[in-house]
Amino acid sequence: MPTSALTGSQPGTTYVSMGQLKPLKIKLELASAGGGGCGTTGGEGKASCGSSDGPQDMPAEVWDKVKNHPCYSEEAHHHFARMHVAVAPACNIQCNYCNRKYDCSNESRPGVVSQKLTPEQAVKKVVAVASAIPQMTVLGIAGPGDALANPKKTFDTMRMLTARAPDIKLCLSTNGLALPDLVDEICKHNIDHVTITINMVDPEIGAKIYPWIFWNHKRLTGIEAATVLHQRQMLGLEMLTARGVLTKVNSVLIPGINDQHLMDVNREVKKRGAFLHNIMPLISEPEHGTVFGLTGQRGPSAQELKAVQDACMGGANLMRHCRQCRADAVGLLGEDRSDEFTLDKLDAMEVVYDLEKRKAYQDKVEQERSAQQAAKQQALAAASALQAAQDLKVLVAVATKGGGRVNEHFGHVTEFQVYEVSAAKAHFVGHRRVDQYCQGGAGDDEQLPSVVRAINDCHAVLVAKIGACPRDELMLAGVEPVDAYVGEFIEKAALDWFNDYRARVASGAVLHQHRGDAAIRQGAYTALAA
Ligand code: CLF
Ligand code: SF4
């Protein structure tokens, strides 16, 4: 089938030439030693996560779109929340990592959507959440199927919401198959942010991920299906770029299938104007009932994920703070408050949509954010004044419940944030989910080893408080528990700890050792004990 018949492409449009694609070897050692980067221009010297960029790094109108979007700005994700409404149940393709009983893996961790909503119910819910959570700035539609395989429900929701709450940014996520046909509609509804899940630019690899697609009233399989999907994704991305819509690309890292290929994906999506590239770990367990789960396809370890992300530095800007949220998630990334806003609870809620109050709150958050920046700069200035080993670089886990501060007890953590720290910078590189250690007021010693495994590649963990038992266990594992920076901004605390650490290394008080790998937690959290 000619390309133009599949995509409606214009003469001169460049598509990836399948014959030209060659697998690139990713050297894990290289990346973990800090020498990573695929060697293309633009990435050196930047914080590894392009989405950490500030107003000085982009045009004002782009900054205006990203500054309060928790997914498009790493910095914003400490302060601003998003919510999803599950109005899009159908899907037009099948991914081997998806079971329709579970959330869309494009944007979700496995876990059933509690309630599918009509557009009317969805708008009611968004307005109620925005009234209760003034830092909620973005509505996303991310399933549980594909937003654009359900265009009427998706766009009806967006249209009605804009009329009720014009300050909320609109965002959607798609596999891209229907995208080229709906770009005009996306623009008509002022949807500024679109995510396309692109796992390959080579249909031979695609055929291992997608058993079928449904396109033009036909079910296509194998290489043919993957070819159509690939071409539609590339065309859709180009069309969004041409219209100034900020586009993020999500890729699921599937070891042995596309791990060595994601640098090609990164390069190709950058070429077509993607604003961000979000490389996420495959979550795959037999109990999810997915093809990959049932055939034993594993997800990557924490260091494998980081190595692929590091290898892509210098290409399209990387997002590393994705939480693979549910299709009905509510709250800051990493927290889920959807239980507070079920349909029956909404009926009993008094909803006052106060634009001024929301704006006042967001202005306060801006001040806090500036203070965080200033603290970081101050700590960096102090660090550069020290004469010590300049080449040390370590990972530090942080217990935080938001606001960009060290403010959570070790036992209450369900997610550690991980920062890479050197004399030159402290920047966010990922997060690690864990089952909460403190259950019903006491530490659960059975959970402890899995918590330690999740941060086993870190040299220290910064916490607000920690008990004697986990402290001993961490020290035994070689992770230093640190409670000296309670309430401080994370980057400043991490840099201050690092300066102290390298002074200890320089004096011989501590022997600096390379850390091992860490585990990425699969599946849903263990339920908390009552
Ligand atoms: Fe939702 Fe996605 Fe919009 Fe964000 S999520 S539709 S861009 S508002 Fe964000 Fe969640 Fe990761 Fe998605 S953390 S899964 S990247
Ligand atoms: Fe599942 Fe989303 Fe893939 Fe559709 S696009 S099969 S809903 S993961």
Side-chain angles (χ1 to χ4, degrees):
M1 203 176 297
T3 297
S4 55
L6 294 169
T7 62
S9 74
Q10 311 299 315
T13 304
T14 317
Y15 287 97
V16 185
S17 159
M18 300 311 153
Q20 291 168 352
L21 289 176
K22 292 189 193 81
L24 298 176
K25 290 269 178 285
I26 296 170
K27 295 246 178 349
L28 298 187
E29 333 67 82
L30 222 192
S32 63
C38 42
T40 49
T41 55
E44 286 302 305
K46 293 173 78 174
S48 69
C49 179
S51 62
S52 325
D53 292 353
Q56 69 286 354
D57 302 305
M58 62 191 83
E61 67 278 9
V62 177
W63 173 243
D64 206 44
K65 286 180 185 172
V66 303
K67 66 178 183 191
N68 294 355
H69 194 309
C71 304
Y72 281 68
S73 160
E74 190 276 311
E75 212 186 282
H77 101 279
H78 298 285
H79 306 284
F80 293 103
R82 57 72 185 100
M83 71 175 289
H84 291 162
V85 285
V87 295
C91 192
N92 46 7
I93 71 171
Q94 179 63 56
C95 306
N96 278 336
Y97 47 71
C98 176
N99 173 351
R100 292 295 152 70
K101 282 189 282 175
Y102 288 84
D103 286 357
C104 173
S105 299
N106 278 341
E107 289 285 288
S108 323
R109 69 179 164 82
V112 288
V113 179
S114 314
Q115 287 172 314
K116 287 176 192 151
L117 303 178
T118 64
E120 290 75 17
Q121 289 169 329
V123 171
K124 183 175 173 184
K125 180 172 177 177
V126 179
V127 173
V129 171
S131 306
I133 308 179
Q135 67 270 45
M136 196 286 284
T137 48
V138 179
L139 168 72
I141 296 184
D146 184 78
L148 297 183
N150 303 260
K152 178 151 172 43
K153 289 175 180 162
T154 294
F155 294 122
D156 279 357
T157 305
M158 300 300 200
R159 176 177 47 75
M160 287 190 281
L161 182 68
T162 303
R164 286 291 309 277
D167 64 319
I168 293 179
K169 287 185 205 308
L170 303 177
C171 191
L172 63 79
S173 151
T174 177
N175 58 47
L177 183 62
L179 179 59
D181 303 331
L182 293 167
V183 166
D184 288 342
E185 193 77 2
I186 286 170
C187 295
K188 195 174 110 194
H189 288 86
N190 290 323
I191 299 167
D192 276 340
H193 302 80
V194 171
T195 294
I196 315 172
T197 297
I198 300 178
N199 297 318
M200 53 87 200
V201 290
D202 176 350
E204 285 196 20
I205 292 173
K208 297 177 188 161
I209 303 171
Y210 306 103
W212 57 259
I213 68 168
F214 194 77
W215 190 69
N216 267 355
H217 312 291
K218 275 202 304 239
R219 186 177 288 235
L220 307 182
T221 58
I223 301 267
E224 187 187 13
T227 303
V228 173
L229 181 63
H230 162 61
Q231 291 175 336
R232 300 285 290 174
Q233 289 175 335
M234 296 298 115
L235 177 64
L237 172 56
E238 288 173 357
M239 291 173 74
L240 289 172
T241 301
R243 287 161 173 79
V245 177
L246 286 190
T247 307
K248 171 166 71 64
V249 167
N250 281 1
S251 299
V252 181
L253 169 53
I254 310 164
I257 293 187
N258 69 353
D259 46 351
Q260 299 194 2
H261 178 62
L262 287 179
M263 282 191 291
D264 298 335
V265 174
N266 182 276
R267 189 185 56 243
E268 293 304 326
V269 301
K270 178 180 184 182
K271 218 194 270 178
R272 292 172 172 82
F275 181 76
L276 269 182
H277 188 193
N278 170 25
I279 299 173
M280 316 180 287
L282 171 72
I283 294 177
S284 174
E285 289 288 295
E287 62 265 30
H288 300 154
T290 61
V291 170
F292 283 155
L294 294 170
T295 54
Q297 171 63 54
R298 69 172 181 91
S301 73
Q303 284 299 303
E304 284 173 331
L305 174 66
K306 185 172 181 297
V308 173
Q309 292 171 330
D310 288 353
C312 289
M313 279 173 67
N317 291 334
L318 292 179
M319 171 187 191
R320 300 192 193 226
H321 60 282
C322 174
R323 301 309 200 274
Q324 291 168 280
C325 358
R326 294 170 57 95
D328 55 3
V330 172
L332 292 172
L333 303 191
E335 74 173 2
D336 190 359
R337 297 178 60 180
S338 51
D339 274 0
E340 296 170 41
F341 301 96
T342 52
L343 286 178
D344 50 337
K345 288 182 184 158
L346 288 182
D347 283 339
M349 257 176 218
E350 194 192 336
V351 174
V352 183
Y353 195 78
D354 186 338
L355 247 178
E356 284 310 308
K357 191 171 139 206
R358 282 176 55 75
K359 186 162 178 334
Y361 185 91
Q362 289 171 21
D363 287 347
K364 243 170 64 190
V365 171
E366 271 317 311
Q367 286 169 16
E368 180 79 355
R369 202 166 160 177
S370 306
Q372 185 177 0
Q373 271 300 325
K376 181 176 164 182
Q377 292 313 326
Q378 197 188 14
L380 277 174
S384 65
L386 281 177
Q387 295 300 312
Q390 297 294 313
D391 54 349
L392 272 189
K393 188 189 275 187
V394 301
L395 297 182
V396 172
V398 180
T400 176
K401 55 186 171 194
R405 294 180 186 266
V406 182
N407 54 9
E408 185 60 288
H409 291 201
F410 178 84
H412 296 168
V413 170
T414 53
E415 173 192 289
F416 289 98
Q417 296 196 355
V418 177
Y419 282 70
E420 190 165 72
V421 195
S422 66
K425 61 190 174 185
H427 65 279
F428 179 96
V429 290
H431 62 90
R432 306 285 164 74
R433 290 174 176 171
V434 293
D435 285 314
Q436 190 169 313
Y437 164 66
C438 186
Q439 302 271 332
D444 178 349
D445 291 341
E446 280 186 20
Q447 301 283 26
L448 200 46
S450 71
V451 178
V452 174
R453 272 200 304 276
I455 55 173
N456 187 51
D457 51 352
C458 298
H459 276 77
V461 54
L462 311 187
V463 298
K465 202 170 175 184
I466 186 166
C469 179
R471 180 183 289 275
D472 290 348
E473 192 85 15
L474 283 162
M475 299 217 343
L476 207 63
V479 183
E480 183 182 334
V482 183
D483 58 6
Y485 302 102
V486 186
E488 290 196 17
F489 286 120
I490 294 170
E491 290 93 340
K492 178 173 184 330
L495 284 161
D496 285 351
W497 171 82
F498 180 76
N499 285 331
D500 176 59
Y501 175 75
R502 64 181 187 160
R504 282 182 282 147
V505 171
S507 73
V510 168
L511 178 65
H512 176 70
Q513 286 183 319
H514 182 69
R515 301 289 308 156
D517 204 345
I520 292 181
R521 200 191 177 298
Q522 299 282 308
Y525 294 122
T526 303
L528 289 186

